[in-house]
Structures are given as C-alpha cells and as structure tokens.
Amino acid sequence: MNASHPLATDAVPARAETEGDLAPAGQRRPARRRVYIKAFGCQMNVHDGERMIDVLRPLGFEPAAAPEEADLVILNTCHIREKAAEKVYSELGRLRQLKTRRFRHTGRDMAIAVAGCVAQAEGEAMLKRAPVIDFIFGPQSIHRLPDLVTRLDAGERGMVETDFPAEDKFRALQENAAEAPRVPPSVFVAVQEGCDKFCTFCVVPYTRGAEYSRPAADIIAEVERLVSRGAREVTLIGQNVNAWHGEGPDGNVWSLARLMDRLAGIDALARIRFTTSHPNDMSDDLIAAFADNPKLMPYLHLPVQAGSDRILKRMNRRHTAADYLRIIEKVRKARPDIAISGDFIVGFPGETEEDFRQTLRLVEEVRYAQAFSFRYSPRPGTPAAEAADQVPEPVKAERLSRLQDVLFAQQEAFNAGFVGRRFAILLEKPGRHEGQLIGRSPWLQAVYVDAGDHRIGDLVEVEAIRATRNALAGRIVSSSVSK
Ligand code: SAH
Ligand code: SF4
Ligand code: F3S
C-alpha cells in the first residue's frame, strides 16, 4: 500500500525538520526535549502530527528519530476499521516496555499520549484499558497540546480533551506554532476537515465532526509561507476536499477550483494536488481545472466503494454507478492522461455475488491507475454495523482477493505504459541505494533514479526505463524543468 494514500495504515513518522528550538530572542531557551509522533491512518493524521510538532517547538521540543529517544511519544490513531483501531493497544503494550527499559537505562521518563480518531471515539475508556497513557486528545484539540504538556509537567495525569471546540482550531494552530525554517518539497495543507455525508459504514463524521472549510486567505498565506521555506508541491487535503467552499479574500464564496487557480499564481510553486474527493462534489469547474490549471497534476482519487446501485444506496452514497462513470468520462475529456484512483469496500452487509460482480464490471470499465480495497469492517455506532445480513468473513476475503487481482493488474498495466516516456519528477527522498533518490511523476508514481548532482527538491526530466506494480525506475535526461 502506498504511504501517500488517505488510508495508508502503516505508521508513518510525521515529517519535520530537526532544526534547533525556536525560542524568541531574549527569552530563556526552554530545556530541550524530544517528541516522537507515530501516525496511523490518513494524510490528515500525518498532517496533524506535523502541526503537533509545530506547537510543541516553543516548549523546547524537537522531533526524535525513534521512540527510544523520546521524552514524549504521541500515537496519532485511526478508527476507520477494527484492525486499525486495535493496533493502538498492541502499540501501547510495546511502548510500556520501552518506557520501563528507558527509565532503567537512562533514568529518564517517557510520557505517552494518544491522539487522533481512536482518542476521539473511545476517550476516557482508553485510560481504563491502558493505564500507561498519560493523556488523550482528539483531532480538534491539537492546539491544546501545549497546555496539556504544561499540566503534565506540573504532575497532572489522565487528562482527556475530546471536545469539538467552537473556536477555530486552524487559526489557533497558526498563531501558536513555530514552523520549521525549512520544509520538505512536497507538503500537505489542510483546507477542509470533517464530513457531513454519513455513509452508513463510516466513523469519520463522528470522529472528525461537521464539515468545515478554512477561509481562502488563510490557506493562501500558509501556502506562500511554505513555498518560501522550500515547498514546491502542495497537496490540499480534507476528508471531503472537493466540498471545500471557503470565504474568498473578495468576500465571495470560492470553490476549490478558484482557490487552486489563485495558488497557481504563486511563482515558485510548481505543482498542486488535492485529496480526498467525493463524487457528488465533482463540480464542472473542478473538472475543468484539470484542463485549465497548468499546475494541477493529472491524478484524481475518487472513491466509489461499490458498483451495485442497491449497495450504494444502502451505503448512503447518494450516487449511482452510472453517475460515477459519467464523472470519470467528463474528467477524462478534460484531461485524457489522468490517473484515476479509488477506494472499494467488499462484503458490505447484504452484498450478493451479483452485487460484487457489478463492482468488478465498474472496475473493468474505469481502468484504475491505483486503488485501495478493503473488507467491510463493522464500526461501533455506525448504522451498517447493526444490519442483520452481515457477510461472512471468508466470503469477504475471497471477494477482496478477486477484486485485488483485477486492480493490481490494472495498476501494473498503467505503470508499464510509461516505459520509454519522458516526464518531470520532483525529487522527494533518498532511495535504498547509495546515490539514489525517489521522486514523484505527475501521475503520482514513485520513480527511482540515480541522482548524480541533483538534490531533494529538484524537478528533473526523466525517461522511465522499467516499471513494476508500485514504482518506475528512470534515468535523468535533463534538469530544472518548470513543472
Ligand atoms: N472521505 C473519503 C474516504 C474516507 S475513509 C471518501 O468519502 O471517500 C477512506 C476509505 O476507507 C473509504 O473510502 C472506504 O473505502 C474505507 N472505509 C471506510 N469505512 C470503512 C469500513 N467500515 N470498513 C471498511 N472500509 C472502510
Ligand atoms: Fe466517510 Fe462517506 Fe464521509 Fe467519506 S464521505 S468520510 S466515506 S462518511
Ligand atoms: Fe482514520 Fe480518522 Fe483518518 S478514522 S482514516 S485517521 S479521519
């Protein structure tokens, strides 16, 4: 699974630069401490982890490279499927041992906090099941983190902050943070949070709350700041990012397409992406942006979940399979080379073999560049979990493997079609071998190259020489291309 997907369930350490602490001149420099944030789940969690580091810097925290080195470990959790949620407890067990060992060897304590969607969903109950937890805070309470740490320093334990506060979390985060002086070439910017759609299988509307769109001026200022610190690509993120409709600087309500048009005017910004979108919010101006906005990359993650209208209805998706296919057709008309990606759930309650075959048919018709597929996992508090006609696990497993056979073959074919072609990649991180760097193509493929003199943050033109299901190998043919 690809770590850049909204549901990459492997833990990804939050990205942050390890620069010195940033106490304002003239103030006493706070004692240095290290924080390790382990993010599970979607890009929003990775993003939130970066913001946690930003708000902790003024208290003297720097990011730790590994949990062993950390004075504070924060698990930023995901509640989307049972497996994701349960992972937290095994992780807490491991941390408890680490904490004891660290204390024995160094005499230093390690505080443990739980954040994210499990924190929001389970709250206080987590403290009973895992008393090792020092404090808990939900996704809407990240800006309260400095206060929680201060209380911890004063000897308090067992704090739980899971309200949906009325104040603007994003504004508060912006005001209390000290961002790293340099940022990676590709960054996430949260423009929207929460969800009002209430698909019957999904916990997100309960863990993240109601849809909220940040004002355009705040987003533009943040992107300008990030670009001045080295970002060349931004991915605008939100649980339903294409439902974004923020107040524009002119007082009118702007659409996501209009916002991206404005962002494209920032010279040093080379690439724009957005994720995750809902089919019902794919407005015509957003589709047109794929043709008109030269910095918008040709990649669209548009989950459909299932190909049967009966199941889509029970999922409360409010669109049919034909609606979805029509949108894909329009998007392809605007941008013929676009890479389409999607999410699927198999074994939703009541799904018959015939329903499932309709999913396979839809997949054959769309031809995905990438896709993520899951067995339905009943989640507490969601309507579908109460349905009497749950599908047996072995049937789900068998369907998932049939679906993945088709999706993986499509992904492989998509990548194979690039061998011999030339395009730009943005170099983002070191590869496994000496001298190797990994960049992303416009279609979001990972591309491995021998970098020579080129560095992370450079945009270079490559020719693809080999393809696998998950990546391309390329050779650099010229440097410093503009997008
Ligand atoms: N907001 C996005 C995705 C949110 S969750 C959207 O509307 O598409 C990401 C994916 O997790 C979903 O697209 C769905 O495929 C999967 N998912 C969500 N709840 C699930 C559940 N209970 N069981 C299995 N997969 C689930
Ligand atoms: Fe969940 Fe549906 Fe909202 Fe996506 S649109 S976050 S699947 S409720
Ligand atoms: Fe998981 Fe919460 Fe994201 S449930 S997928 S971390 S919004």
Side-chain angles (χ1 to χ4, degrees):
M1 191 179 288
N2 180 334
S4 69
H5 175 259
L7 272 179
T9 42
D10 290 335
V12 232
R15 292 177 302 179
E17 298 285 291
T18 46
E19 305 287 337
D21 61 76
L22 297 174
Q27 275 184 21
R28 194 172 57 85
R29 285 165 79 87
R32 292 223 174 172
R33 299 191 267 183
R34 293 193 180 270
V35 55
Y36 185 82
I37 300 177
K38 197 159 185 178
F40 301 87
C42 62
Q43 284 152 332
M44 194 60 92
N45 263 7
V46 176
H47 169 272
D48 285 352
E50 289 166 3
R51 299 294 77 72
M52 290 177 202
I53 291 180
D54 291 344
V55 295
L56 286 175
R57 274 179 205 278
L59 273 73
F61 280 94
E62 286 175 32
E68 295 77 343
E69 296 165 15
D71 302 288
L72 169 64
V73 175
I74 302 175
L75 296 182
N76 202 14
T77 61
C78 174
H79 200 243
I80 201 84
R81 286 173 294 276
E82 191 182 353
K83 238 194 201 154
E86 281 302 313
K87 227 184 232 176
V88 184
Y89 291 99
S90 50
E91 199 63 40
L92 282 166
R94 262 198 298 279
L95 283 178
R96 192 161 49 89
Q97 291 174 359
L98 212 60
K99 180 184 166 97
T100 315
R101 260 207 311 276
R102 177 178 153 95
F103 192 73
R104 209 180 294 137
H105 291 156
T106 67
R108 293 185 72 149
D109 194 20
M110 171 194 284
I112 297 172
V114 177
C117 291
V118 181
Q120 188 64 45
E122 296 184 9
E124 193 108 31
M126 294 196 87
L127 287 175
K128 294 210 179 69
R129 195 166 154 192
V132 71
I133 302 171
D134 288 294
F135 63 90
I136 291 176
F137 60 108
Q140 302 305 323
S141 309
I142 295 170
H143 55 297
R144 305 261 178 88
L145 183 54
D147 175 54
L148 287 163
V149 170
T150 308
R151 283 160 67 188
L152 184 75
D153 287 344
E156 205 179 326
R157 283 191 80 236
M159 299 81 92
V160 180
E161 288 269 7
T162 49
D163 292 345
F164 286 130
E167 81 252 34
D168 180 346
K169 158 187 144 183
F170 289 105
R171 278 256 157 91
L173 279 175
Q174 214 161 289
E175 281 157 18
N176 299 328
E179 286 164 0
R182 292 292 298 170
V183 299
S186 177
V187 293
F188 296 143
V189 172
V191 300
Q192 182 277 338
E193 190 167 14
C195 180
D196 296 340
K197 297 222 161 35
F198 292 91
C199 300
T200 55
F201 51 81
C202 184
V203 294
V204 172
Y206 311 99
T207 61
R208 294 277 168 167
E211 256 177 30
Y212 169 78
S213 295
R214 286 175 74 191
D218 292 4
I219 299 165
I220 297 162
E222 184 174 335
V223 174
E224 280 172 345
R225 230 174 25 246
L226 289 165
V227 168
S228 74
R229 291 170 187 200
R232 304 211 64 190
E233 171 178 290
V234 289
T235 302
L236 306 179
I237 61 169
Q239 267 91 29
N240 271 298
V241 73
N242 58 341
W244 182 87
H245 56 287
E247 185 194 330
D250 55 5
N252 296 323
V253 175
W254 281 21
S255 68
L256 187 66
R258 177 119 192 241
L259 174 68
M260 293 194 295
D261 192 46
R262 169 65 182 76
L263 295 177
I266 302 173
D267 263 355
L269 179 66
R271 294 174 159 191
I272 303 171
R273 304 180 185 276
F274 62 90
T275 199
T276 296
S277 301
H278 190 286
N280 291 357
D281 294 310
M282 281 311 294
S283 56
D284 286 341
D285 72 329
L286 185 57
I287 294 174
F290 282 109
D292 303 339
N293 188 329
K295 294 188 180 177
L296 179 59
M297 292 292 104
Y299 181 95
L300 175 65
H301 182 65
L302 196 64
V304 63
Q305 316 298 356
S308 147
D309 289 344
R310 207 175 63 81
I311 296 298
L312 287 170
K313 191 159 191 217
R314 282 188 61 173
M315 287 177 162
N316 192 31
R317 291 291 290 185
R318 298 171 196 263
H319 62 76
T320 62
D323 294 335
Y324 180 84
L325 291 170
R326 252 191 312 274
I327 295 164
I328 299 292
E329 196 184 312
K330 280 205 233 169
V331 173
R332 284 205 163 118
K333 211 177 232 166
R335 183 79 204 227
D337 68 337
I338 196 153
I340 302 287
S341 146
D343 289 349
F344 297 88
I345 294 177
V346 300
F348 183 82
E351 186 188 73
T352 62
E353 172 64 23
E354 177 47 32
D355 291 319
F356 173 66
R357 286 198 185 152
Q358 289 178 21
T359 300
L360 292 178
R361 277 201 284 278
L362 179 138
V363 169
E364 297 286 4
E365 197 150 331
V366 173
R367 286 170 290 113
Y368 286 90
Q370 203 182 18
F372 303 87
S373 41
F374 312 100
R375 294 185 217 181
Y376 169 68
S377 168
R379 305 306 293 133
T382 59
E386 308 298 320
D389 46 357
Q390 300 290 330
V391 173
E393 285 304 320
V395 176
K396 289 184 199 171
E398 190 257 347
R399 287 182 190 164
L400 185 65
S401 120
R402 281 160 67 199
L403 175 61
Q404 288 186 338
D405 282 349
V406 182
L407 289 170
F408 289 164
Q410 291 189 349
Q411 196 169 322
E412 203 166 325
F414 181 80
N415 285 349
F418 283 82
V419 174
R421 286 175 56 185
R422 292 183 174 202
F423 48 85
I425 64 169
L426 175 61
L427 296 173
E428 288 182 32
K429 57 182 183 192
R432 226 173 295 151
H433 305 297
E434 179 81 25
Q436 193 181 53
L437 290 177
I438 305 175
R440 293 262 175 201
S441 75
W443 307 272
L444 207 63
Q445 294 135 310
V447 185
Y448 292 75
V449 291
D450 281 325
D453 294 337
H454 299 288
R455 298 207 312 221
I456 289 176
D458 288 349
L459 269 161
V460 294
E461 192 174 333
V462 297
E463 181 179 311
I465 49 181
R466 268 192 321 278
T468 63
R469 190 175 91 203
N470 293 318
L472 299 172
R475 128 184 115 74
I476 296 179
V477 291
S478 74
S479 51
S480 298
V481 288
S482 62
K483 64 177 190 127

